[in-house]
Amino acid sequence: MAAYLETLNEAQREAVVNFRSPSLIIAGAGSGKTRVLTCRIAYMLEQGVDPGSIIALTFTNKAAGELRQRLKCALPAKAANAVHIGTFHSLCLKLLTGLRGKVTLAGEAEALDIASQVLRLLGLKLSPRRLLQEVSKWKNGFSEEALEHPGACQEYCRRLSERKLLDFDDLLLEVLREYERDPDAFPSKPFRQILVDEFQDCNAVQFKLLR
């Protein structure tokens, strides 16, 4: 038995070695979920899985960095660097850049400025940041009927598109649209092993992307 497997309890070892079928790990904070992810990746590589076919998705850059650091401590540098680790947004930015060559994201200041213009145009007494939060909810699966200011959200998106800009939520949506238009446009070497940290936090758009 590999040394790292001996550091795991029985349930953790089972989650690590049974990688050929879907697994859902349910555990509390501080119970070793990230260690299990790290060990599962290491075990897959020992079993001959191509590191380039493995992707580990997180919700924050901090979590991605922590997982990357743990892998570098557990694996040879070449193997650790070949595993794809990042957030949903960084993955989608990489995919879109590969397809389009250039993707321009709206910075926070620019997004707030556009939101302010929309609010002034419509005469709404709402903070620009609050409007952006509502737009984000809409793009992440909320129905238009559930929005407080659907017209403002639509106008914001129109102005963003007019400037040929994307926001972070657009990254996921644009990847889904590109895939629906032409699945063959994406790299021919798909990810065979997909690991998601904090899977329970996935929203409808992220879940659709995973599928």
Side-chain angles (χ1 to χ4, degrees), residues 165-210:
L165 295 173
L166 299 178
D167 61 21
F168 281 103
D169 293 318
D170 285 327
L171 292 174
L172 278 68
L173 294 172
E174 287 299 306
V175 166
L176 288 173
R177 291 185 186 115
E178 291 283 0
Y179 184 80
E180 289 168 357
R181 277 196 291 264
D182 182 12
D184 295 330
F186 287 86
S188 58
K189 186 179 181 182
F191 298 117
R192 300 289 183 182
Q193 297 289 340
I194 302 174
L195 300 94
V196 183
D197 190 24
E198 306 294 351
F199 175 78
Q200 77 278 358
D201 291 335
C202 283
N203 60 37
V205 174
Q206 291 162 337
F207 186 67
K208 188 175 181 180
L209 185 68
L210 288 172

Side-chain angles (χ1 to χ4, degrees), residues 4-198:
Y4 63 84
L5 290 177
E6 295 179 355
T7 68
L8 305 175
N9 61 38
E10 184 177 348
Q12 291 171 329
R13 279 197 298 274
E14 185 177 356
V16 166
V17 302
N18 294 324
F19 69 89
R20 300 189 189 281
S21 59
S23 298
L24 177 63
I25 300 172
I26 301 175
S31 57
K33 295 189 297 295
T34 303
R35 181 153 57 100
V36 169
L37 280 179
T38 305
C39 292
R40 187 175 170 109
I41 293 172
Y43 186 79
M44 285 192 285
L45 296 179
E46 281 187 3
Q47 300 304 306
V49 175
D50 178 3
S53 70
I54 302 171
I55 182 167
L57 293 169
T58 67
F59 284 87
T60 66
N61 290 322
K62 180 180 179 181
E66 180 184 347
L67 183 56
R68 171 71 68 190
Q69 189 57 42
R70 291 196 185 197
L71 271 184
K72 287 182 176 179
C73 292
L75 300 171
K78 185 176 180 180
N81 290 329
V83 176
H84 299 269
I85 299 175
T87 63
F88 282 89
H89 296 94
S90 67
L91 168 65
C92 289
L93 177 59
K94 182 177 181 180
L95 291 173
L96 280 179
T97 302
L99 287 174
R100 301 178 179 179
K102 181 182 180 182
V103 174
T104 306
L105 290 174
E108 181 180 13
E110 190 167 18
L112 288 170
D113 181 57
I114 296 173
S116 296
Q117 294 174 25
V118 170
L119 293 172
R120 284 197 298 271
L121 174 70
L122 300 179
L124 293 174
K125 293 183 179 180
L126 188 73
S127 73
R129 199 171 296 278
R130 175 70 181 277
L131 176 59
L132 294 182
Q133 290 171 349
E134 194 167 337
V135 170
S136 182
K137 288 180 179 180
W138 184 29
K139 291 183 177 182
N140 280 290
F142 276 58
S143 68
E144 190 171 315
E145 292 75 19
L147 299 176
E148 292 182 52
H149 309 91
C153 292
Q154 292 171 354
E155 179 62 19
Y156 170 82
C157 292
R158 188 192 68 78
R159 292 188 176 219
L160 207 64
S161 177
E162 190 177 65
R163 299 187 187 193
K164 294 182 170 54
L165 295 173
L166 299 178
D167 61 21
F168 281 103
D169 293 318
D170 285 327
L171 292 174
L172 278 68
L173 294 172
E174 287 299 306
V175 166
L176 288 173
R177 291 185 186 115
E178 291 283 0
Y179 184 80
E180 289 168 357
R181 277 196 291 264
D182 182 12
D184 295 330
F186 287 86
S188 58
K189 186 179 181 182
F191 298 117
R192 300 289 183 182
Q193 297 289 340
I194 302 174
L195 300 94
V196 183
D197 190 24
E198 306 294 351

